[in-house]
Amino acid sequence: LYNMYVGAEKKGNDLNLILMVTSCAIGGTLQYGYNLAIMNAPTIFIQNFVNETFRERWDVQLEDYQVTLVWTCIVSIYSLGGLAGALIAGPMSITFGRKKTMLLNNIFLMLSSLLALTSRAAKSFEMIIISRVLVGINAGISMNVQPMYFGESAPKHLRGAASLSSAIFTSFGVVLGQVVGLREILGSEPCWQFLLASNAIPGFIQLLTLPWFPESPRYLLIDRGDKEACINALQRLRGCEVQQSELDEILQEQTEAEGLRPSRPWELFGDQNVRWQVISIITISSAMQLCGNDSIYFYAYYVFKAAGISPDMIQYITICTGTCEFTACIICNLLIERQGRKILLMGGYIFMTVWAIVFTIALCFEHKVEWMPYLSMGCIFTYILSFGMGPAGVTGVLPTEIFSQTARPAAYMIAGSMMWINLFIMGMVFPFLVSELGEFCFVPFAAICLLSAVFVGLVLPETKGKTLSAIASEFHKLNYRGLDKQSFPTTPAQYQLGKVCHSTAL
């Protein structure tokens, strides 16, 4: 990993940066994917537990739809917890710093694990609901603060690769959750409470390792005004003397932010200087959830069943879907500093549009053509691969690159809120799309993917290798379109390709 991550002109050691990214992500965005995946295996067991609890307490036998309603609440409440976490992530990251926020975030995780572990003995399904809220808060905070921490700590030419590692660990969490949820491990009836509490293990690893790494250098200098601590943090992360050009860039951002307090989310909506930046993160964060990728995980069971795969084998085949996204995110990490953000994001949505159309055709003819169910299976994997190659990774990088230090926490609050709100909406709406539209249920997703690709192509500038000032200058052309060119800065776009041996993959 070290040899893959060293620049030709830079003789330092990036091993500390790699270890910091790993430590932070294990207890961070890995939790988001992990806690999504582990809820599939114990579905029947928890539903039976809910039914038994009602019968023992009130001597009431619940109808199937009532059990399903309680189960839907247990699953969906995770999104509302994530929304709450996204809203408090900004103030926490400003008050405590990026690293301390990630450490404090484990309080929600440990309380969640304790409630899940003891819920069965206490015969309380309400404890599971509260547990899901708390672990959702944990995921909401980490999904916002972790990319911010990485983007502010990595050098400019590795900023995209470092931030993209958040998506890699999210997809790895999905695969890990699917594996741990196998009935041979913790996905059995006697062990479901241990499965729900197993997310404490990555949290403990983070608590033991993350304190050894420094705080975000930009936070230390710009928010805390501590230049010496910033230089020390840069030296520890780079493993060498700080390059003057990198320090000058941070000092320039400090000068621009001097005298300014951190922005509130609602203030960004009324600020013409960041109008199109806000529109961009709202659109792209919403599209990430509305594109149907999470829904296709849900639909995979039915497609695999239609293809003639035994129900006992479907849980093993489903692991391949998570593996697809994990593999695609790694490939995206290899490409992001070479191909750029815009081409990966736009290309991902274009390919998703194509595969959604093919998927719809396959569903229409699956009962008429013998091999159509297998085409449906192929569409699932290619759709997920396209999502992982672009939207899954690039979306989380953008707020770090298109917003200044004072606006960045508020921007992540907006982006995170849109992600969690739309995740909740999709969880509630998708079953109705299936029942009402049938085999055409992925037509709306194709339309959303196509519109997202058009938006990215027309509006979003390329941010690869550019300074924050240069990126802001390009957005000023949109924010003040039609006005006199002298009314806004015209700093030329400065681009510097990262000098790396073979790849920038972590």
Side-chain angles (χ1 to χ4, degrees):
L1 289 175
Y2 165 68
N3 289 331
M4 296 171 65
Y5 207 55
V6 176
E9 295 181 350
K10 180 169 177 270
K11 304 302 183 181
N13 184 348
D14 282 315
L15 182 60
N16 282 340
L17 179 64
I18 297 171
L19 293 177
M20 181 273 285
V21 165
T22 303
S23 171
C24 188
I26 283 177
T29 53
L30 180 142
Q31 293 284 1
Y32 170 66
Y34 187 80
N35 286 288
L36 279 177
I38 61 174
M39 291 306 292
N40 293 326
T43 299
I44 300 299
F45 309 135
I46 296 178
Q47 288 179 347
N48 292 337
F49 173 68
V50 170
N51 211 355
E52 291 171 4
T53 302
F54 270 88
R55 188 165 56 247
E56 291 180 11
R57 287 184 188 176
W58 301 292
D59 196 24
V60 173
Q61 180 69 36
L62 294 179
E63 300 290 337
D64 288 343
Y65 79 91
Q66 293 173 318
V67 175
T68 303
L69 181 62
V70 176
W71 171 247
T72 302
C73 178
I74 291 174
V75 174
S76 300
I77 205 73
Y78 177 70
S79 301
L80 298 182
L83 174 60
L87 293 175
I88 65 175
M92 285 183 67
S93 65
I94 295 170
T95 303
F96 302 109
R98 290 25 168 176
K99 186 183 81 170
K100 288 183 180 178
T101 297
M102 293 299 297
L103 292 172
L104 291 172
N105 192 27
N106 285 287
I107 295 175
F108 300 107
L109 177 66
M110 298 307 168
L111 288 175
S112 166
S113 299
L114 181 63
L115 288 172
L117 186 63
T118 57
S119 60
R120 189 170 192 172
K123 297 182 178 180
S124 172
F125 66 88
E126 295 90 347
M127 293 173 66
I128 301 178
I129 295 177
I130 299 174
S131 170
R132 292 289 291 174
V133 173
L134 291 173
V135 79
I137 294 174
N138 172 271
I141 293 174
S142 63
M143 291 288 285
N144 280 13
V145 178
Q146 181 180 307
M148 198 188 318
Y149 185 23
F150 291 173
E152 293 176 0
S153 300
K156 181 172 59 178
H157 65 281
L158 297 177
R159 192 170 56 210
S163 299
L164 185 59
S165 63
S166 297
I168 292 178
F169 277 91
T170 298
S171 56
F172 177 65
V174 171
V175 177
L176 185 62
Q178 290 171 337
V179 172
V180 175
L182 292 174
R183 66 176 65 92
E184 292 85 355
I185 303 179
L186 292 179
S188 59
E189 199 280 333
C191 298
W192 63 260
Q193 72 273 22
F194 299 105
L195 176 62
L196 297 186
S198 62
N199 52 26
I201 297 176
F204 276 120
I205 295 175
Q206 184 185 79
L207 287 173
L208 292 174
T209 57
L210 190 58
W212 297 95
F213 299 101
E215 178 57 87
S216 158
R218 290 180 182 273
Y219 173 81
L220 291 172
L221 181 60
I222 300 174
D223 290 75
R224 288 287 177 256
D226 193 338
K227 183 177 180 180
E228 183 178 352
C230 171
I231 294 175
N232 289 335
L234 286 172
Q235 288 175 339
R236 290 174 62 187
L237 290 171
R238 306 294 181 262
C240 65
E241 290 299 319
V242 180
Q243 291 186 355
Q244 188 61 41
S245 59
E246 183 175 13
L247 186 59
D248 288 344
E249 181 188 349
I250 302 177
L251 288 170
Q252 179 185 356
E253 190 175 355
Q254 181 195 32
T255 302
E256 294 172 353
E258 191 172 358
L260 300 176
R261 60 169 176 78
S263 302
R264 273 89 171 184
W266 54 88
E267 292 175 341
L268 295 185
F269 288 103
D271 187 352
Q272 188 172 359
N273 290 312
V274 294
R275 176 176 298 171
W276 277 99
Q277 289 96 314
V278 172
I279 294 173
S280 296
I281 63 167
I282 289 176
T283 302
I284 296 172
S285 298
S286 299
M288 183 179 176
Q289 296 299 339
L290 297 178
C291 68
N293 184 72
D294 290 334
S295 301
I296 212 167
Y297 278 110
F298 166 80
Y299 208 61
Y301 175 85
Y302 301 97
V303 177
F304 293 149
K305 187 176 180 180
I309 297 175
S310 168
D312 293 335
M313 295 297 297
I314 289 178
Q315 65 168 340
Y316 304 104
I317 302 297
T318 303
I319 295 176
C320 296
T321 60
T323 306
C324 274
E325 186 171 338
F326 179 52
T327 304
C329 286
I330 293 177
I331 296 174
C332 183
N333 196 291
L334 294 169
L335 298 175
I336 190 169
E337 295 297 351
R338 297 179 180 274
Q339 301 301 322
R341 285 68 159 150
K342 185 172 183 175
I343 188 67
L344 291 178
L345 194 60
M346 185 168 59
Y349 280 123
I350 290 174
F351 278 115
M352 291 171 73
T353 303
V354 172
W355 292 119
I357 294 172
V358 176
F359 191 27
T360 300
I361 295 172
L363 290 176
C364 290
F365 291 95
E366 67 177 356
H367 298 297
K368 300 178 181 178
V369 180
E370 184 178 354
W371 50 268
M372 275 297 173
Y374 297 97
L375 178 59
S376 299
M377 288 176 57
C379 289
I380 287 180
F381 293 121
T382 51
Y383 196 90
I384 293 172
L385 280 169
S386 302
F387 178 77
M389 289 279 290
V394 180
T395 302
V397 178
L398 291 177
T400 298
E401 298 190 326
I402 67 178
F403 285 92
S404 65
Q405 185 79 8
T406 55
R408 196 171 293 133
Y412 267 103
M413 289 173 65
I414 295 172
S417 297
M418 297 307 302
M419 188 194 77
W420 288 102
I421 289 172
N422 286 292
L423 178 62
F424 179 76
I425 291 173
M426 286 307 304
M428 301 299 294
V429 169
F430 183 74
F432 297 98
L433 285 178
V434 174
S435 62
E436 294 296 326
L437 299 181
E439 60 269 21
F440 298 101
C441 61
F442 272 84
V443 172
F445 300 143
I448 290 171
C449 291
L450 180 60
L451 291 174
S452 301
V454 172
F455 177 86
V456 171
L458 296 178
V459 174
L460 194 69
E462 179 57 68
T463 60
K464 178 185 66 173
K466 296 176 182 176
T467 64
L468 296 176
S469 298
I471 296 170
S473 177
E474 293 199 31
F475 269 108
H476 269 68
K477 298 173 184 177
L478 293 173
N479 295 327
Y480 294 92
R481 182 182 297 167
L483 299 181
D484 190 336
K485 292 184 179 180
Q486 299 299 322
S487 64
F488 60 89
T490 57
T491 304
Q494 301 174 14
Y495 172 70
Q496 176 185 342
L497 180 64
K499 300 297 184 67
V500 292
C501 289
H502 298 294
S503 77
T504 58
L506 293 176

